[in-house]
Every structure is written in structure tokens, then in C-alpha cells.
């Protein structure tokens, strides 16, 4: 690594017609001959453009529905890194909407990448339509309740299925966590449903638009779990040598002086052949999770917690109740074995992942996943 600089921008718009923006440039370099990026005029253009485009979203939404509130956030980073004797310009960024409609709050990230085309008017109008359709899909006049169940089937619809794959399985497949986790006993062995194929694919561009990782390795599409068998790990240079594993182009760090770690790029499961409607009718009573706030996994035990944002109770495939935000508990290995159906509705989106104090953008992808049983609303996991 010879030289590096990073530019950060952040902007926010609310539906109450106020507009806030914050600009900041962070410049890093370990090469005294490199030139600092002068972005003053560019920043003015970006904020003016983004404000206009986000106002388009609000205007489009108000034509069709009356949302209680909507906040839109745009965060972008442009980073230049000299790797493999050439400059790799990376674009990181995402757009996120936090919407309150019918007293239900949920978040959305568009399926298109905000960079480098953040000034595309059509994309922002399409995002407004996505939000409208999501709001119109929320059932009217259903009772809301706290929900607790010791064992119940749970359907994770995209994007919540992508969060499940990332938080519960993905971190345990990163080499530095893998060596401490219960997954270490399953390398080369069957660990899940025979129809389950899980990939980490850095070439899709969902985590960032780039050619190389922070160690100069080309990004790859790695098949981690194949037909239920644990085949490959997420590795950087150090751990690939230590464990004699294939180097997968997953060495990343947030800052130029940060520690390189094995980290996911875009993790996803290959889609199956069942429709979501068919999956909903498999069990008499099911919980449907549409979105999650996030989650965490204990790398030593594989026990995990996930925090619901929008979830419902289904009876014979029909929504009967909205569940107030709660917690889902389980164990990673048990859950891999208990994936009983995989949907045909694979979708991709983005999230921010924190690991050992470093924040990174990542991609996630998920078809709908039906888990045979998990706990809802308890404060610990019990076998």
C-alpha cells in the first residue's frame, strides 16, 4: 500500500420539509508526494443535486399515500488506493429510507447502487415507487401485540434473510472468527440443508465498486457452503497461509492505518424453487419477518440474537397480527440444519457492518428462508 485517500459525504432529508446536510473530507496518505483532493466545488454540486432528488421522493410519495414521516439518508465514500502498482478507485455508498406508515416503522435500501450515479433522477423516482409499494403492502387494521414463542417456524423474507445469512453464518465463516467457532469442526463436512448453497461474491459490486481488496488481491466469487457441506472460508493473506486455505480476496480495513481483517463482501444464498406464498402455507402458524434492525452472534458458541423491525404472525398463510419489535434467538448450527425451504425470490441490498471497531459497507442477498423452529421474545437461548 503506497498511498490512499478517502472522501466522505453525508446528507439527510426529512419529510417535514427540513433539509440537513453535513460535509466532511477525511484525507489520509503515507506518501508525501500524493496530492490532496480538492472537493469544495464538487461538494456544493453534490448537496444541491441530492437535495433536489430527495425532494422528488417526498413529492412522489405524497401523491399516493400519507406517510407519517420519512427520513432519507445518503452516505458515500470515494477512496483511492494504490494496489498492484495502479490506483484502484473505490466507490462505497448507500441510500437508506426510514419510513413510518400506519404506526409501523421500517427501513428500506434501494436495489440499485447509489454510486457513481447518485444524480440519476429516474433512480430516485423508482425508489419512491418502491417505498409506496412497500407501504401499500402493510395490512390495514390488524391487531398489534407482543409475541412470545418457545419454538415456532419463522420465515425470513428478503432483506431479513440476507441479514440472517450475514450476522449468523457469515461472521462464523470469516477465518479469524472461524477458528474459535463451532464451525471449525465442520470443514469439509455436512453442516446444513442439502439444498443450501452460500456464496461470498466480491465481484457483484454491492459492497463497493472495486477491483481489489486492501491487500491487492482480486475479488472473487467464493462458494462457502455447497449442498449443505462447508467447503471454503472467507480469508485474507495471513489466515489463508495459517490455515492453508484459498486466498479469496477478503482482506479489508476501514482506514489506511487500520488492521486488515477477513471480511465479507456480498454474502447470499442461491435461490430455490418455492414461491413465498407456498412457503407461507407450509405450517399452520408461522412468524414472517420482513425486516431486521440487525443482530449478533457469539463466535464461541454460535448462539445468536436478531432484532425484528417489521414482523407478523401468520395463520395458514394469512397475516393475523403485527408483532411489536422483539428478539429472535437461536444457534447457528441448529439453524443451518433447520432450513427447510428456500424461496425463488433472491434479492440484494446493502448494510453497514461493524467488526472490531471498523465499519464497512457490505452487500447481502437472500431468497426467503423458512426455519423449522426458533425462539421469539426470550432473553436467552435454551437447547
Amino acid at each position: 500500500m503506497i498511498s490512499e485517500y478517502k472522501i466522505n459525504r453525508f446528507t439527510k432529508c426529512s419529510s417535514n420539509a427540513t433539509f440537513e446536510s453535513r460535509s466532511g473530507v477525511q484525507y489520509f496518505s503515507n506518501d508525501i508526494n500524493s496530492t490532496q483532493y480538492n472537493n469544495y466545488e464538487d461538494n456544493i454540486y453534490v448537496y444541491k443535486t441530492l437535495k433536489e432528488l430527495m425532494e422528488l421522493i417526498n413529492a412522489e410519495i405524497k401523491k399516493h399515500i400519507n406517510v407519517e414521516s420519512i427520513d432519507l439518508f445518503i452516505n458515500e465514500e470515494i477512496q483511492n488506493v494504490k494496489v498492484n502498482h495502479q490506483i484502484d478507485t473505490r466507490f462505497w455508498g448507500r441510500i437508506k429510507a426510514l419510513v413510518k406508515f400506519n404506526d409501523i416503522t421500517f427501513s428500506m435500501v434501494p436495489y440499485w447502487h447509489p454510486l457513481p450515479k447518485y444524480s440519476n433522477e429516474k433512480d430516485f423516482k423508482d425508489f419512491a415507487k418502491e417505498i409506496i409499494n412497500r407501504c401499500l403492502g402493510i395490512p390495514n387494521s390488524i391487531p398489534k401485540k407482543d409475541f412470545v414463542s418457545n419454538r415456532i417456524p419463522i420465515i425470513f423474507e428478503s432483506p431479513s434473510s440476507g441479514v440472517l445469512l450475514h450476522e449468523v453464518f457469515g461472521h462464523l465463516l470469516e477465518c479469524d472468527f472461524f477458528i474459535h467457532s463451532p464451525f471449525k469442526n465442520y470443514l469439509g463436512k455436512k453442516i446444513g440443508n442439502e439444498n443450501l448453497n452460500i456464496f461470498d461474491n466480491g465481484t457483484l459490486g454491492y459492497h463497493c465498486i472495486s477491483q481489489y481488496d486492501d491487500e491487492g488481491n482480486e475479488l472473487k466469487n467464493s462458494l462457502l457452503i455447497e449442498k449443505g457441506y462447508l467447503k471454503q472460508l472467507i480469508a485474507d493473506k495471513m489466515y489463508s497461509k495459517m490455515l492453508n486455505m484459498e486466498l479469496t480476496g477478503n482482506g479489508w480495513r476501514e482506514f489506511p492505518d487500520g488492521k486488515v481483517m477477513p471480511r465479507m463482501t456480498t454474502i447470499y444464498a442461491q435461490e430455490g424453487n418455492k414461491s413465498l406464498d407456498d412457503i407461507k402455507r407450509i405450517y399452520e402458524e408461522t412468524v414472517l419477518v420482513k425486516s431486521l434492525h440487525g443482530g449478533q452472534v457469539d463466535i464461541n458458541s454460535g448462539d445468536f440474537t436478531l432484532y425484528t423491525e417489521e414482523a407478523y404472525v401468520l395463520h395458514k398463510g394469512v397475516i393475523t397480527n403485527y408483532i411489536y419489535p422483539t428478539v429472535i434467538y437461536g444457534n447457528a448450527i441448529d439453524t443451518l440444519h433447520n432450513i427447510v425451504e428456500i424461496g425463488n425470490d433472491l434479492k440484494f441490498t446493502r448494510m453497514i457492518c461493524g467488526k472490531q471497531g471498523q465499519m464497512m459497507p457490505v452487500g447481502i442477498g437472500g431468497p426467503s428462508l423458512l426455519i423449522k423452529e426458533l425462539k421469539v421474545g426470550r432473553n436467552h437461548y435454551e437447547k
Side-chain angles (χ1 to χ4, degrees):
M1 188 76 63
I2 298 176
S3 62
E4 180 169 354
Y5 65 77
K6 180 191 287 187
I7 301 146
N8 293 316
R9 301 190 186 104
F10 170 89
T11 188
K12 172 184 175 182
C13 184
S14 298
S15 57
N16 59 9
T18 64
F19 178 78
E20 304 171 33
S21 65
R22 180 184 64 192
S23 63
V25 176
Q26 297 182 53
Y27 170 73
F28 309 98
S29 176
N30 53 11
D31 178 2
I32 60 174
N33 296 316
S34 62
T35 303
Q36 184 165 347
Y37 179 78
N38 180 358
N39 72 318
Y40 176 73
E41 291 184 0
D42 186 46
N43 265 346
I44 293 175
Y45 167 76
V46 168
Y47 289 118
K48 180 177 182 294
T49 304
L50 294 182
K51 178 180 178 181
E52 292 172 355
L53 291 171
M54 287 192 292
E55 286 174 348
L56 280 177
I57 292 180
N58 283 328
E60 189 71 24
I61 287 172
K62 288 175 182 177
K63 292 178 186 177
H64 302 276
I65 54 175
N66 183 25
V67 295
E68 295 169 60
S69 66
I70 178 169
D71 290 288
L72 295 131
F73 305 86
I74 293 181
N75 178 269
E76 64 168 305
E77 295 182 4
I78 304 172
Q79 185 181 39
N80 272 20
V81 185
K82 192 168 185 179
V83 290
N84 284 359
H85 307 292
Q86 65 179 3
I87 295 292
D88 181 27
T89 300
R90 297 179 184 154
F91 297 96
W92 294 350
R94 69 170 182 165
I95 295 170
K96 180 180 180 180
L98 189 65
V99 183
K100 187 174 182 182
F101 179 72
N102 281 356
D103 203 32
I104 294 174
T105 301
F106 61 89
S107 58
M108 283 191 67
V109 176
Y111 295 120
W112 45 271
H113 202 293
L115 289 169
K117 55 177 184 176
Y118 52 77
S119 59
N120 188 317
E121 181 174 324
K122 180 182 182 300
D123 283 336
F124 280 77
K125 286 185 175 180
D126 287 345
F127 188 32
K129 292 175 184 175
E130 286 183 33
I131 295 171
I132 292 165
N133 290 336
R134 176 73 177 273
C135 289
L136 296 177
I138 293 175
N140 291 316
S141 305
I142 62 166
K144 301 177 176 64
K145 69 174 183 178
D146 292 314
F147 184 84
V148 173
S149 179
N150 189 53
R151 291 288 185 271
I152 190 168
I154 296 185
I155 301 167
F156 292 89
E157 184 181 346
S158 185
S160 69
S161 54
V163 177
L164 169 75
L165 291 165
H166 174 98
E167 298 290 1
V168 176
F169 311 132
H171 280 302
L172 300 184
L173 294 171
E174 293 169 334
C175 281
D176 53 345
F177 286 174
F178 170 83
I179 59 177
H180 302 287
S181 80
F183 278 26
K184 66 181 180 291
N185 300 316
Y186 287 87
L187 190 58
K189 299 177 182 177
K190 195 170 190 295
I191 196 172
N193 184 301
E194 63 184 10
N195 296 314
L196 183 65
N197 297 291
I198 296 179
F199 298 81
D200 182 80
N201 191 343
T203 69
L204 293 176
Y206 284 102
H207 73 296
C208 68
I209 300 174
S210 180
Q211 299 179 62
Y212 307 100
D213 70 1
D214 280 318
E215 298 178 305
N217 305 302
E218 288 189 16
L219 305 184
K220 295 182 179 180
N221 181 19
S222 303
L223 179 54
L224 308 175
I225 294 178
E226 182 180 15
K227 297 181 179 178
Y229 283 81
L230 179 50
K231 293 290 190 179
Q232 193 171 341
L233 303 178
I234 294 167
D236 60 2
K237 279 184 179 178
M238 184 178 78
Y239 280 98
S240 68
K241 291 178 181 177
M242 182 188 301
L243 301 177
N244 194 27
M245 299 293 301
E246 181 182 344
L247 183 58
T248 58
N250 288 92
W252 297 96
R253 60 184 181 175
E254 182 181 9
F255 300 111
D257 58 351
K259 175 186 175 184
V260 172
M261 293 179 281
R263 303 197 64 167
M264 286 169 274
T265 52
T266 296
I267 192 166
Y268 70 97
Q270 187 175 14
E271 65 183 6
N273 53 22
K274 275 272 177 75
S275 71
L276 177 58
D277 286 340
D278 287 340
I279 291 173
K280 287 178 180 179
R281 292 190 289 266
I282 290 175
Y283 292 105
E284 185 166 336
E285 187 176 49
T286 319
V287 168
L288 172 67
V289 179
K290 293 182 74 70
S291 61
L292 292 163
H293 276 301
Q296 57 196 29
V297 65
D298 184 316
I299 63 170
N300 296 298
S301 66
D303 294 343
F304 65 85
T305 52
L306 298 169
Y307 308 101
T308 68
E309 185 177 63
E310 184 184 355
Y312 301 92
V313 178
L314 302 181
H315 184 72
K316 295 182 178 179
V318 178
I319 290 176
T320 59
N321 295 90
Y322 167 78
I323 301 173
Y324 287 115
T326 187
V327 185
I328 297 171
Y329 301 89
N331 178 272
I333 291 178
D334 292 345
T335 301
L336 277 170
H337 285 294
N338 285 332
I339 296 175
V340 293
E341 289 293 348
I342 302 171
N344 60 5
D345 51 352
L346 174 63
K347 296 176 183 176
F348 291 93
T349 187
R350 295 162 191 82
M351 60 182 281
I352 301 296
C353 172
K355 180 176 178 179
Q356 297 182 22
Q358 295 196 52
M359 306 302 292
M360 296 284 291
V362 293
I364 54 173
S368 296
L369 298 174
L370 172 59
I371 314 298
K372 183 179 179 180
E373 56 180 28
L374 287 170
K375 289 185 66 174
V376 179
R378 298 291 187 188
N379 60 5
H380 63 282
Y381 175 71
E382 299 172 353
K383 292 275 187 180

